[in-house]
Amino acid sequence: MMPKIVVTQPIHEAVLARLRSAGDVVMNQGPEPWSEEELYLHLKDADAMMAFMPDRVNRRTLLNAPRLKTIACALKGYDNFDLMACAQAGVSVSFVPDLLTEPTAELAIGLAIAAARHVLAGDTRIRRGYAGWRPQLYGIGLHGSVVSVVGLGAVGRAIVDRLCGFGCAQLLGVDPHGDDERLTMVSLGEALSQSDYVILAVPLLDVTRHLVNDTMLEGVRRGQILVNIGRGSVVDEAAVARALKDERLGAYAADVYEMEDWLLADRPRQIHPELLQHPSTVFTPHIGSAVKKVRLAIELRAAENLLLALSGSEPLDLCEAFHRADPMPALPCSG
């Protein structure tokens, strides 16, 4: 029998054809994710899964997928997947580490400019009827500004690459493990107190959850533009809403949200309503990698990882946890 491959979101035809050459493919027509019950139904006899941002995999998922051998994530940040549970169950997990870097860095700059230059407010005024130039909607530019990048992984460094062309007065970096000769390295508190812009490019870890919170925002430079393209729960959205309300922050722009961090049991179930209502916010629906040729390349890489695992070989982008896990303890049978 051909292996069963479950694909949880629509993929490009070329990628679908590649997978169909190696197995029986069941694909969600999307764009809405399957319910948990639908996913379990498809996974109960599946050998492989291609996963996307809305998916989460935990021990319960694995109990409902007894034949599952591999999960190929068509994404970079895999914090919605319980890697240790997967490793203990003998289910390999792979991801796509590099292809999202450039488009995400581009979006970070776009969000920063949109927030600081009142792009959404200007668009709204034009659509309501334009009578010509008026002395209004004055903002701040990147040129001549102090800009901090928090997190100097691949995306953070790519953001710095782009900022170097804007004539910023100073570039600051925040990363205990990073260094860059183009940056002055500072603490997060120093970055928040000194910068006109702060761009967050931080993964979600125990130590980075709510890294930006009420305490940190007490010392923020007044009028600062805060941009989050890392992970939603790196910021406390309620604290950001309070900082906007009392005008400590000048604007907040984000492509990621606390509600999306599925494995956190106490995550909010919606974006903080005061953020949605505030006029000095700019939001995009997690489109950091939403460039056509990039999405195709991501899917192709995920498919390659999946097919290698099904053939008995190690995926190119195997998550580290798979190498270091202990066997899964006995678990009760699923209902």
Side-chain angles (χ1 to χ4, degrees), residues 10-20 27 296 299-300:
I11 55 177
H12 288 77
E13 195 62 38
V15 184
L16 183 57
R18 179 76 180 92
L19 293 179
R20 281 177 171 162
M27 184 181 75
L296 174 58
E299 292 172 12
L300 286 169

Side-chain angles (χ1 to χ4, degrees), residues 31 101 104 107 137 175 179 200 203 212 220 233 255 269 294 324:
T101 298
T104 303
L107 183 65
L137 296 180
D175 191 323
D179 195 11
L200 304 171
V212 177
V220 74
S233 296
D255 187 48
R269 268 36 183 187
V294 172
R324 63 173 188 262

Side-chain angles (χ1 to χ4, degrees), residues 72-325:
C73 301
L75 46 84
K76 179 177 182 177
Y78 46 82
D79 37 78
N80 285 326
F81 299 81
D82 188 332
L83 297 183
M84 292 306 294
C86 291
Q88 290 167 349
V91 177
S92 68
V93 180
S94 56
F95 66 112
V96 180
D98 296 323
L99 296 172
L100 293 76
T101 298
E102 304 300 327
T104 303
E106 289 180 359
L107 183 65
I109 301 300
L111 285 171
I113 293 172
R117 296 297 303 276
H118 307 294
V119 169
L120 292 186
D123 179 84
T124 298
R125 293 194 184 193
I126 289 289
R127 294 176 191 278
R128 288 176 177 170
Y130 184 56
W133 180 89
R134 299 290 185 272
Q136 59 189 11
L137 296 180
Y138 293 171
I140 62 172
L142 286 167
H143 182 82
S145 291
V146 178
V147 184
S148 288
V149 178
V150 182
L152 296 176
V155 173
R157 294 193 303 272
I159 292 169
V160 174
D161 291 342
R162 285 150 180 78
L163 288 171
C164 286
F166 279 91
C168 301
Q170 189 178 20
L171 295 176
L172 307 180
V174 181
D175 191 323
H177 308 294
D179 195 11
D180 191 315
E181 63 183 12
R182 300 169 295 179
L183 307 175
T184 300
M185 302 303 293
V186 296
S187 69
L188 178 60
E190 290 171 324
L192 289 170
S193 66
Q194 298 174 22
S195 303
D196 301 295
Y197 294 79
V198 171
I199 302 176
L200 304 171
V202 180
L204 180 58
L205 307 168
D206 288 342
V207 294
T208 63
R209 187 180 185 191
H210 288 180
L211 185 68
V212 177
N213 51 39
D214 279 311
T215 301
M216 280 294 177
L217 290 171
E218 284 177 2
V220 74
R221 184 171 187 168
R222 199 163 192 86
Q224 184 176 103
I225 312 301
L226 181 63
V227 179
N228 186 12
I229 50 81
R231 273 293 181 266
S233 296
V234 168
V235 305
D236 179 344
E237 289 180 357
V240 171
R242 287 188 284 269
L244 285 168
K245 185 175 182 179
D246 64 19
E247 298 183 348
R248 279 174 291 151
L249 280 177
Y252 179 60
D255 187 48
V256 291
Y257 309 95
E258 287 191 86
M259 60 167 288
E260 296 180 296
D261 297 323
W262 314 111
L263 281 189
L264 299 178
D266 59 343
R267 65 181 173 85
R269 268 36 183 187
Q270 61 181 359
I271 299 171
H272 197 287
E274 290 183 21
L275 290 181
L276 296 177
Q277 296 161 11
H278 199 283
S280 297
T281 54
V282 178
F283 299 125
T284 49
H286 210 131
I287 58 172
S289 67
V291 174
K292 291 178 181 179
K293 64 180 181 180
V294 172
R295 288 308 309 177
L296 174 58
I298 289 168
E299 292 172 12
L300 286 169
R301 183 73 175 199
E304 187 175 1
N305 282 322
L306 186 152
L307 295 175
L308 281 170
L310 280 183
S311 71
S313 300
E314 183 173 298
L316 298 171
D317 308 302
L318 187 68
C319 292
E320 287 184 12
F322 189 71
H323 293 295
R324 63 173 188 262

Side-chain angles (χ1 to χ4, degrees), residues 59-60 62-66 329-335:
R59 288 175 179 266
R60 183 180 175 191
L62 298 169
L63 286 171
N64 284 275
L331 294 171
C333 295
S334 59

